[in-house]
């Protein structure tokens, strides 16, 4: 190599490094902010000298304010220097962007206004309809009508029981009562809290025609109908349909190539909830009872019984749900403990180990439904059992879905009917978790309070929901800035500058190359799906079968702490999930405001 070539290569390297050092990244909530929100952007760069930041009204290019960034002394993610830009005082509604004064680096355009989050709970329901099994309105097809043939039940193995319907769990096509019971109950709770914030644009099948019922209740009923099938008799409960034999590449649901012993696209196994360890191959689940599943399902049924009786004037379905709530709760009382998900040929499963929280929720809802004092006493008993120790919010790590659901909704439900002294106990449980996560958040530049385990976005939406519920219970608004920081991470105030919801905001940076068959095989971008989200670099490096399909577009902003890829090959961070999406609906509804 000639000296000239060496000099040219050296100059190229030095120039590239200099350009990299000068790069400035501005991270904001792409959806925007409510007028009263704290509004704090995060800036980072390898350059140690920050630029003045200008807040500009986008339509007029009018300079609204110049702000000197404030240096943050936090954990050093990726070797960058970090600053914050606070423009909370700006409340005038409109569209804005941030711009560095010298280099003219711009943020995305964002809104300030009461409608910044308007109606995106409906967008999340679009994704839920895509996950439907049976008749799928997004794909206009019928699938998995042969679900399923039983194992571990009181009937002979391979007996057919109709377990069709429900939702596919994620990018795969398994169905779990573990996640579906929570998704159903969460949607019903969101409706109960904000009944005037939902639209009616589709019918019960998810087709584009109104039917006089809010779409969130149509979607919740899809889950309720499946739970009824999974509970075919007062003493019977199924907990899962299919297993990891499903994982044979991407496939369209009505052309499922999985073979459970009866040929491809045929019968799938249905696992009966026994309360004991299960597994058809070497990987055995752990189990001590079925109260987690029975309790959550009972809570969903009790909520439904009141809604269909009082709001929808359907006493027949209401009575059906009431009977199911009572029998499911009785099953939970009889077999206290937890039932986990089953795997077949891989070690990954839902490792839930909590159950008292679910029974607390069920007992509280049954007290409201029946007025019988025994349910109130039992709800308080289970609340004291679950307390704070059952929550991930006071831990630095947990196994996959070990402490599920990621928020104890029973505390809020019970708080509505508890005496004043017990109300304080329940508020304290939420407060302990909020304070612990706040202490973690204060160490990192994005003020994020969660541990970056698998499905971190589910934890984050649950933490946001916990703060919302705590505020409603206690009247304490002191955690609003913390709440806003957690929310804003989900819409772009993160290292990658991306929303964590597909298609939100329209025209913004959001997950596209998601780990789903609808995208890979059909090129469909279905909005509203919450992806699993960033995980710790350590977990990512030790997962099986991760292969990126494309060059990492976020390579320049990746760091040694947490990793995220918008890539089909990264099932750990970029796979949207049904229960994660459903679990974000209350959060999204809260911020949407009244229409």
């Amino acid at each position: 190599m000639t000296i000239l070539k060496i000099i040219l290569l050296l100059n190229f390297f030095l120039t590239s490094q200099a350009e990299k050092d000068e790069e400035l990244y501005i991270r904001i909530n792409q959806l925007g902010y409510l007028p009263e929100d704290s509004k704090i952007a995060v800036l980072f760069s390898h350059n140690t000298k920050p630029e003045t930041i200008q807040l500009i009204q986008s339509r007029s290019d009018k300079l609204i304010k110049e702000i000197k960034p404030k240096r943050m002394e936090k954990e050093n993610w990726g070797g960058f220097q970090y600053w914050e830009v606070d423009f909370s005082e700006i409340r005038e509604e409109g569209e804005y962007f941030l711009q560095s004064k010298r280099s003219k680096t711009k943020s995305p355009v964002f809104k300030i206004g009461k409608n910044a989050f308007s109606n995106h709970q409906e967008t999340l329901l679009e994704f839920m309809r895509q996950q439907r099994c049976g008749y799928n309105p997004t794909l206009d097809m019928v699938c998995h009508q042969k679900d399923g043939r039983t194992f571990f039940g009181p009937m002979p193995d391979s007996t057919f029981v109709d377990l069709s319907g429900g939702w596919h769990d994620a990018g795969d096509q398994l169905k779990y009562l573990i996640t579906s019971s929570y998704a159903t109950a969460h949607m019903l709770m969101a409706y109960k809290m904000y009944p005037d914030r939902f639209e009616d644009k589709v019918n019960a099948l998810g087709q584009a025609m109104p039917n006089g019922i809010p779409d969130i209740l149509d979607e919740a009923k899809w889950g309720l109908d499946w739970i009824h099938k999974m509970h075919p008799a007062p003493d019977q409960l199924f907990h899962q349909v299919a297993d990891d034999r499903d994982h044979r590449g991407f496939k369209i649901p009505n052309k499922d190539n999985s073979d459970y012993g009866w040929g491809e696209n045929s019968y799938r196994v249905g696992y009966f909830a026994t309360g004991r360890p299960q597994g058809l191959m070497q990987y055995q689940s752990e189990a001590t009872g079925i109260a987690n599943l029975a309790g959550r399902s009972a809570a969903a049924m009790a909520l439904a019984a009141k809604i269909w009786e009082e709001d929808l004037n359907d006493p027949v379905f209401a009575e059906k749900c009431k009977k199911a709530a009572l029998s499911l709760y009785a099953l939970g009382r009889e077999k206290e403990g937890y039932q986990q998900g089953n795997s077949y040929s891989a070690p990954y499963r839902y490792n839930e180990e909590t159950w008292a929280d679910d029974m607390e929720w069920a007992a509280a809802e049954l007290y409201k439904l029946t007025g019988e004092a025994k349910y109130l006493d039992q709800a308080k008993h289970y609340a004291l059992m679950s307390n704070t120790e059952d929550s991930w919010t006071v831990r630095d790590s947990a196994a996959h879905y070990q402490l599920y659901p990621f928020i104890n909704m029973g505390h809020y439900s019970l708080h509505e009917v508890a005496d004043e002294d017990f109300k304080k106990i329940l508020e304290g449980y939420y407060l302990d978790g909020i304070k612990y996560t706040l202490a973690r958040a204060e160490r990192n530049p994005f003020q994020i309070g969660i541990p970056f385990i698998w499905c971190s976005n589910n934890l984050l939406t649950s933490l946001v929901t916990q703060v919302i519920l705590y505020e409603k219970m206690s009247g304490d608004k002191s955690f609003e800035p913390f709440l806003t920081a957690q929310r804003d991470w989900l819409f772009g105030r993160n290292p990658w500058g991306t929303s964590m919801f597909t298609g939100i905001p329209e025209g913004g940076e959001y997950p596209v190359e998601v780990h789903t068959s609808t995208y890979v095989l059909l090129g469909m971008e279905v909005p509203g799906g919450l992806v699993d989200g960033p995980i710790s670099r350590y977990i990512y490096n030790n997962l099986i079968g991760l292969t990126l399909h494309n060059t990492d577009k976020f390579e320049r902003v990746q760091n040694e702490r947490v990793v995220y890829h918008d890539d089909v090959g990264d099932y750990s961070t970029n796979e949207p999930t049904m229960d994660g999406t459903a679990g974000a609906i209350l959060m999204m509804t809260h911020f949407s405001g009244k229409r």
Side-chain angles (χ1 to χ4, degrees):
M1 183 178 293
T2 66
I3 294 176
L4 179 59
K5 286 184 178 180
I6 293 173
I7 292 172
L8 290 173
L9 284 172
L10 182 60
N11 285 339
F12 175 78
F13 173 78
L14 292 174
T15 300
S16 297
Q17 185 61 42
E19 290 174 350
K20 185 177 180 181
D21 289 344
E22 288 292 319
E23 284 178 334
L24 176 67
Y25 301 94
I26 303 174
R27 301 304 193 221
I28 48 86
N29 181 334
Q30 297 176 89
L31 268 182
Y33 306 86
L34 302 175
E36 65 273 15
D37 282 344
S38 60
K39 309 173 188 71
I40 300 177
V42 174
L43 278 62
F44 58 98
S45 174
H46 288 291
N47 195 332
T48 58
K49 296 180 180 180
E51 298 183 50
T52 296
I53 298 297
Q54 300 172 319
L55 177 67
I56 297 173
Q57 204 169 54
S58 64
R59 291 188 178 181
S60 64
D61 274 339
K62 178 183 177 181
L63 175 64
I64 303 300
K65 184 178 179 64
E66 288 194 342
I67 308 165
K68 183 178 180 180
K70 179 182 177 182
R71 175 73 178 272
M72 289 191 284
E73 300 295 338
K74 305 285 186 179
E75 293 170 344
N76 189 344
W77 287 14
F80 291 102
Q81 306 294 324
Y82 287 87
W83 301 269
E84 64 178 34
V85 172
D86 189 340
F87 53 104
S88 301
E89 66 187 67
I90 307 301
R91 295 190 169 205
E92 183 180 350
E93 297 201 7
E95 294 186 343
Y96 302 84
F97 62 89
L98 295 175
Q99 177 178 272
S100 57
K101 187 174 183 178
R102 177 178 57 81
S103 63
K104 304 302 181 185
T105 301
K106 293 182 179 181
S107 76
V109 173
F110 57 87
K111 291 181 180 179
I112 295 177
K114 293 180 180 179
N115 66 344
F117 296 85
S118 182
N119 292 337
H120 277 301
Q121 62 270 28
E122 304 295 334
T123 312
L124 272 58
L125 290 175
E126 286 188 51
F127 181 80
M128 293 298 295
R129 290 190 285 271
Q130 178 212 242
Q131 294 298 112
R132 287 191 183 189
C133 186
Y135 175 69
N136 186 301
T138 304
L139 301 174
D140 192 26
M141 64 175 56
V142 178
C143 66
H144 298 121
Q145 293 300 287
K146 294 184 178 181
D147 290 345
R149 290 194 177 272
T150 70
F151 278 84
F152 301 107
M155 62 288 290
D157 283 352
S158 299
T159 299
F160 177 76
V161 177
D162 180 12
L163 303 177
S164 60
W167 296 289
H168 299 140
D169 197 55
D172 52 35
Q173 293 168 22
L174 286 72
K175 300 188 294 191
Y176 295 95
L177 189 58
I178 285 177
T179 52
S180 295
S181 58
Y182 174 67
T184 303
H186 182 105
M187 285 188 284
L188 292 170
M189 184 71 89
Y191 170 80
K192 176 186 171 185
M193 292 176 63
Y194 305 102
D196 60 341
R197 299 189 189 181
F198 295 97
E199 297 179 345
D200 173 25
K201 291 186 175 180
V202 303
N203 62 14
L205 291 175
Q207 299 163 323
M209 58 185 76
N211 63 348
I213 297 173
D215 294 339
I216 193 167
L217 295 184
D218 284 322
E219 203 58 36
K221 189 173 185 296
W222 193 262
L224 291 165
D225 288 343
W226 190 64
I227 296 173
H228 281 300
K229 288 185 176 183
M230 298 290 275
H231 181 48
D235 62 345
Q236 294 180 8
L237 185 64
F238 289 87
H239 72 94
Q240 182 175 323
V241 175
D243 53 40
D244 52 288
R245 281 174 284 185
D246 169 271
H247 299 165
R248 297 183 60 186
F250 294 105
K251 63 252 182 126
I252 302 303
N254 69 342
K255 297 179 181 179
D256 190 342
N257 61 2
S258 301
D259 188 343
Y260 293 85
W262 298 282
E264 294 185 1
N265 202 28
S266 185
Y267 299 102
R268 302 196 296 177
V269 62
Y271 288 106
F272 190 87
T274 60
R276 295 187 295 272
Q278 293 182 358
L280 296 175
M281 292 289 282
Q282 70 267 39
Y283 297 108
Q284 298 288 304
S285 66
E286 298 177 8
T288 61
I290 64 173
N292 57 330
L293 305 176
R296 274 201 299 281
S297 299
M301 289 293 172
L303 282 162
K306 283 185 71 69
I307 292 170
W308 263 261
E309 175 75 34
E310 297 174 1
D311 293 9
L312 299 185
N313 193 28
D314 187 347
V316 175
F317 188 69
E319 182 62 23
K320 181 179 181 180
C321 290
K322 180 179 179 180
K323 288 181 178 179
L326 293 169
S327 59
L328 284 161
Y329 183 74
L331 269 179
R333 294 277 288 174
E334 179 184 346
K335 295 184 178 181
E336 292 183 339
Y338 58 84
Q339 182 92 50
Q340 296 185 344
N342 289 1
S343 61
Y344 185 80
S345 58
Y348 303 142
R349 66 173 185 271
Y350 289 141
N351 297 291
E352 185 175 6
E353 293 181 358
T354 58
W355 58 271
D357 53 340
D358 304 299
M359 293 296 286
E360 174 193 359
W361 193 2
E365 297 300 342
L366 279 170
Y367 173 68
K368 296 173 193 176
L369 179 64
T370 67
E372 294 184 29
K374 67 177 182 179
Y375 293 118
L376 180 59
D377 293 339
Q378 290 164 10
K380 293 167 72 173
H381 167 72
Y382 286 124
L384 294 172
M385 287 181 65
S386 62
N387 60 61
T388 304
E389 295 303 314
D390 275 356
S391 174
W392 65 268
T393 59
V394 294
R395 303 194 189 188
D396 292 321
S397 188
H400 190 46
Y401 278 58
Q402 179 184 1
L403 303 172
Y404 188 76
F406 301 121
I407 176 173
N408 184 340
M409 302 284 273
H411 289 338
Y412 178 79
S413 179
L414 178 56
H415 188 274
E416 293 181 328
V417 292
D419 59 79
E420 290 303 316
D421 289 341
F422 209 84
K423 286 180 189 287
K424 295 299 181 185
I425 293 173
L426 297 170
E427 292 166 20
Y429 291 157
Y430 276 168
L431 183 59
D432 287 345
I434 293 168
K435 286 183 174 179
Y436 192 97
T437 53
L438 177 60
R440 182 190 290 115
E442 289 174 344
R443 299 196 295 265
N444 68 72
F446 293 92
Q447 294 88 51
I448 296 303
I450 61 168
F452 287 101
I453 57 178
W454 205 346
C455 293
S456 66
N457 281 342
N458 295 13
L459 303 188
L460 202 53
T461 59
S462 295
L463 178 56
V464 171
T465 301
Q466 182 160 320
V467 180
I468 291 169
L469 298 184
Y470 171 74
E471 287 183 351
K472 289 181 177 294
M473 291 160 65
S474 67
D476 180 3
K477 303 287 187 180
S478 62
F479 297 103
E480 279 287 324
F482 176 56
L483 168 64
T484 303
Q486 311 314 296
R487 179 201 69 190
D488 292 352
W489 168 278
L490 292 164
F491 298 104
R493 205 188 83 147
N494 55 55
W496 312 276
T498 182
S499 165
M500 295 294 166
F501 291 89
T502 59
I504 302 175
E506 187 176 353
E509 176 65 49
Y510 54 74
V512 173
E513 298 186 21
V514 292
H515 188 84
T516 64
S517 59
T518 49
Y519 174 74
V520 174
L521 300 180
L522 302 176
M524 295 180 65
E525 296 182 24
V526 179
L530 178 67
V531 296
D532 283 334
I535 58 173
S536 76
R537 177 75 64 173
Y538 174 81
I539 294 175
Y540 177 81
N541 289 340
N542 286 277
L543 288 173
I544 299 170
L546 284 175
T547 303
L548 298 186
H549 292 198
N550 300 301
T551 301
D552 180 10
K553 66 180 181 181
F554 298 128
E555 181 180 5
R556 284 184 176 268
V557 293
Q558 297 287 10
N559 63 78
E560 75 287 352
R561 299 294 181 110
V562 291
V563 61
Y564 167 77
H565 301 106
D566 183 12
D567 192 295
V568 167
D570 189 352
Y571 65 82
S572 68
T573 72
N574 211 42
E575 183 174 10
T577 63
M578 177 276 298
D579 71 308
T581 301
I585 289 175
L586 194 153
M587 174 196 78
M588 200 73 82
T589 309
H590 172 80
F591 290 114
S592 72
K594 293 185 179 180
R595 291 183 284 109

